[in-house]
Amino acid sequence: MSSPAVPPTEKRTEDRRLKLLAVTACPAGIAHTYMAAEKLSRAAEALGHSMKVETQGSIGAENVLTDDDLREADGIIVAADKEVDRSRFAGKRVLVVGVAEGIRHPEELIERVRTAPVVPGGDGGGPEDAGAVAGGAGGRDRGVSYKALMNGVSYMIPFVVVGGLLIALSLALGGSPQADGGLVIPDDSFWKPVNDIGVIGFTLMIPILSAYIAYAIGDRPALVPGMIGGWIANTGALYDSESGAGFIGAIVTGFLAGYLVRWIKKLPVPKFARPIMPIIVIPVVATTVLGLFFIHVIGRPISWVFEHLTGWLSGLTGSSAALLGILLGLMIAFDMGGPVNKTAFLFGAGLVSKNPEIMGMCAAAIPVPPLGQGLATLVRRRFYDEQERETGLAALFMGFFGITEGAIPFAAARPARVIPANMAGGAVAGAVAGLAAVTDSVPHGGPIVAVLGAVGGVGMFFLAILLGTVVTAAVTVGLMSVGGRGGAVPGRALAAAGAGGAAGTTAGANAGASAGAPSRREAGAREPARTGGAPREAAVPRQTGSAEPAGSTEPGAGAGAPGESSGPGEGAASPGGRRVLSGHLDARTVREWITADGKEAAIRELTGLLAASGRVTDEEALTAAVLAREAQGGTGLGEGIAVPHAKTDAVTAPVVGFTRSADGVDWGAPDGTGARLIFMIAVPEAAAGDEHLRILALLSRKLMDPGFRERLLEASGPGEILRVLAEVG
């Protein structure tokens, strides 16, 4: 077969042994990270190339690429579903794909990296510079947008917390109520500079959000236009608006800046100009274009809309107090310090001396979003990672002092769930305050104004806040329960102690590589009896010539692994029996076969199995936590493997269970294979160290070995299963 002519240098590259590098990473940093690394390494070895893979998992970067590695590399594959710094790859061919592609098509990636684009010198390379992710463009855009938003939120959170807490603290300890000026801190007070520092933090919060959204899309050249664009969006005076566009404007400028930079970077330029493009040309051009576009095209319409909105509100003062309270509450809670919020607040503040009831409605709604979101993190802790729970505590504190912006991190991460919940609670609080004719004599809100004596009708004021807070928390939890966490800030905690990540990122595999050998059945074979129940009839695969007869009882007695208890009447190995995976799994948590034919039924059966370990304090809570994790994105990895998992206080220590399915359970794996090898992992909320993460990393790598999977499927009895699993280490 003829092939197109290629330059001699290209032919030499194809003929010789390549020195390849790779980086693998997923949001959870466990299974997919290591499975992709193992697949790529095996594929390179099979093709006669050398490959070193850096894994960026939950336990940190391992097998880190050195300067010598990079200098000698012929190509680099980045298989990642989170941002990976590529500035160190300048001058090298770099192919960027999703982590699942590293598992599905490693051989194809090794071929594609030969012709991948070269990352320009001095430029870290945006996501597009190193090649598009395999798959549909829609999926790629959705992934980039999601990761960009999460990147901005994660960098913004410290500014929200520091700024909000310093403002709240200074107002609480140094502020005094004024009839026409809210809570005022005297200029000569010690607390005045503390307040000023907090204001700086809050001022930087919006530009930081915009900047790091842009950075995640367009890399370093997008940082400056994103930062300045966010500042412009938040500074209404630049486009004749009394209030800026707030965090919603910052999200808009962040995405505009990022994609504008990506487009500019694709333009053909003379070779001599390439070195200065990312340092001078792109930031200057993008910043100028974005700034002028926002000021003259987007900003002025915003100003016009909110001026007319204020006028319309002024015409509602004679209407029903409850209706006006609902409207003001909805506006206050919508964008939490943004233009809609400020329009309602300025309307109430402007009438504070003539009609303090209107300010009373605003004051009751102001603290509801942060208080409601903070309460939600307390009542449904498993829906949030560690940083979000800490942010929730800070939000409660800020809400007490009337700082609505404390809820912004939650709204930016999950706008479709959090903003409606905030608005529902704000509307309730505003309506109750309006019906009760609550008054507020200072232009400020939150419980602090009542504590300082500026509120009339204190009891109803607190009731309005309480009802609004409960409604916001309940709606938030309800929406997250129905739709999954949906956009959790990724990667900061063990939200997943196994495979998968936010946005449903799941690993795949080639459909032709099924997990293990075909099922072999014996007519009338009996499934081993479950604890406390009689044997059930089930078609169960058996190894030919198995020493374990049909109808054998409890798997814990197994095949006589050394040290296992097999005394009469014992349903499982004693705690002193064989323990593998650093003691997280033993015969008590191994079941040879399950009969469940659906994912939920299998999960319930496995949580019951884990309960036999003595480490489960609440089986129902564990089941709920695992199902909630499944709602975020399936944990079917492909290759006939599933790793359902949860981080929950329903367990007292890390525990792992294992079972097999004869026919395979539909776990939603990308390659369509049913799960036949199923591991369940549960770890406590409290920090449990890195040991279980290391075991999971080893397990993920080992499961990529077809021979290992084959041995697991054909193992006869839990004793032999434990001996096979002991190969993991």
Side-chain angles (χ1 to χ4, degrees), residues 553-580:
T553 57
E554 175 60 27
E564 286 182 355
S565 171
S566 55
E570 289 191 30
S574 69
R578 177 187 286 271
R579 302 171 70 88
V580 299

Side-chain angles (χ1 to χ4, degrees), residues 48-140:
H49 307 305
S50 67
M51 176 176 284
K52 178 178 179 179
V53 185
E54 174 181 306
T55 55
Q56 296 187 5
S58 290
I59 54 179
E62 297 177 283
N63 207 30
V64 176
L65 306 180
T66 66
D67 290 341
D68 289 340
D69 294 330
L70 294 168
R71 186 164 45 251
E72 298 172 2
D74 294 306
I76 302 164
I77 298 170
V78 178
D81 284 335
K82 67 178 186 179
E83 291 306 310
V84 173
D85 179 19
R86 298 193 290 281
S87 59
R88 54 183 171 154
F89 304 150
K92 296 294 181 181
R93 294 190 181 277
V94 179
L95 176 67
V96 179
V97 297
V99 69
E101 287 302 301
I103 301 171
R104 290 190 186 113
H105 311 300
E107 296 87 357
E108 178 185 321
L109 300 184
I110 291 171
E111 292 303 314
R112 287 171 57 193
V113 77
R114 299 172 185 268
T115 56
V118 175
V119 173
D123 182 6
E128 78 289 350
D129 288 331
V133 171
R140 172 60 177 164

Side-chain angles (χ1 to χ4, degrees), residues 5 59 203 205-206 266 268 323 375 497 505 520 523 557 592 604 713:
I59 54 179
T203 305
M205 167 184 70
I206 300 301
K266 291 179 179 178
L323 179 60
L375 179 60
T505 305
R520 288 183 286 269
E592 189 173 6
R604 292 186 180 280
L713 281 168

Side-chain angles (χ1 to χ4, degrees), residues 518-532:
S519 297
R520 288 183 286 269
R521 300 172 181 269
E522 290 184 4
R526 295 174 84 79
E527 181 196 18
R530 283 159 176 74
T531 304

Side-chain angles (χ1 to χ4, degrees), residues 400-489:
F400 178 81
F401 291 99
I403 301 173
T404 318
E405 290 88 342
I408 286 179
F410 300 98
R414 307 180 188 89
R417 293 173 175 81
V418 171
I419 291 178
N422 288 347
M423 293 174 69
V428 168
V432 172
L435 285 172
V438 170
T439 63
D440 180 13
S441 59
V442 299
H444 197 76
I448 184 64
V449 295
V451 173
L452 295 175
V455 169
V458 174
M460 291 305 296
F461 177 69
F462 278 112
L463 179 61
I465 293 174
L466 177 62
L467 291 175
T469 298
V470 170
V471 167
T472 289
V475 174
T476 300
V477 169
L479 290 175
M480 291 176 68
S481 299
V482 170
R485 285 181 58 194
V489 179

Side-chain angles (χ1 to χ4, degrees), residues 214-233:
Y215 175 78
I217 297 170
D219 209 74
R220 285 179 296 177
L223 192 61
V224 170
M227 180 81 73
I228 295 176
W231 189 282
I232 291 171

